[in-house]
Amino acid sequence: MPVAAPPRRTLLTTRMAPLINDTFLRALRREPTDYTPVWLMRQAGRYLPEYRATRQRAGDFLTLCKTPELACEVTLQPLERYALDAAILFSDILTIPDAMGLGLYFTEGEGPRFERPVRDEAAVARLAIPDPDAELRYVIDAVRTIRGALAGRVPLIGFSGSPWTLACYMVEGGGSDDFRHVKSMMYQRPDLMHRILAVNAEAVSRYLLAQAEAGAQALMIFDSWGGALADGAFQTFSLPYMKTIVERVRAATDAPVIVFTKGGGLWLEQIAAIGPHAVGLDWTVNLGHARARIGQRCALQGNLDPMVLMASPDVVAAQVRDALDSYGAPGPGEGHVFNLGHGISRFTPPDHVTAMVDTVHAYSRAQRGAQKGGA
């Protein structure tokens, strides 16, 4: 059954403070920058004592996510500690299936779970696309609140999980080591899987456009479980649905789009071909090789191993320099945003992040200076 397209959204025209630091957006658009911008996946999180205090005050994780003022508070916390070049909306990738009525809850030590997994034809048929301005209003309100609180300091990133990643949680009923249920459906009943993915793609498209309308200045698709798919299956069950979203979003807003497939190093050219402004890289990919493969087709984001931050600040700085040397200084039509190759660990010492951020800024400025000096 085809999914009906919504009316075209009218994007935000409300006056907001002009950007003071737009380096992140310029890098995504492959424009010249004075240095390499940096932000972190999961940069507002349990490694920060101030986050833990706010979460305790909220009572639980879902309340923290669903209270715009608290989501704003924790979004801004890492910006008070570090000279980051972007903020990312504090939320969760499972907001969409939660809004579909699947009964999201969190169990300490087990992560997210759904009361009503989607595992048969009747459950698939019941799936409905949530209205971002109704069932997901708390997220949209959080985006507006955060954008206002930033006052132009740095850009705000909105995000969603990819259709395939959302489907993994929806069918498995939570996280999984082997993806037994979702892959069984994928192979045994591909018609049902494609129906789930089509609904998810439409839901994600509307959700990201609503975030852009509310003030998000860049948008990221987290294909966290794309790398769990076999070659061939990725091109059938993940990539085309992300392509649909990228095309829809790019047609309706100027906000740059980043696509991150964890474990997707094999498919960089194919991911770049769906049209994102940037491709995120996990830590298994060599930055220099990735630049040679797709660096003039889109920007690159990444990709320090998050576990590097467990080492001493001197080692962190050395590893950052190695990563920046691997990529080099961006040339015309190229762009690089420094990030981790996945989310920051809850066990990361906060001062080690300072060493990383400061080294990215200082060393990348020196790289550009050396490039100009040698020109």
Side-chain angles (χ1 to χ4, degrees), residues 211-247:
Q211 291 182 44
E213 181 183 11
Q217 293 146 292
L219 300 167
M220 184 157 171
I221 300 170
F222 284 92
D223 190 31
S224 305
W225 299 123
L229 287 165
D231 187 45
F234 175 76
Q235 290 83 350
T236 302
F237 294 100
S238 185
L239 193 64
Y241 293 97
M242 291 195 293
K243 182 175 188 288
T244 295
I245 296 164
V246 171
E247 290 175 346

Side-chain angles (χ1 to χ4, degrees), residues 102-117:
L102 302 188
L104 175 66
Y105 66 97
F106 287 80
T107 302
E108 194 66 33
E110 293 185 15
R113 306 294 300 174
F114 284 110
E115 295 174 1
R116 294 172 287 280

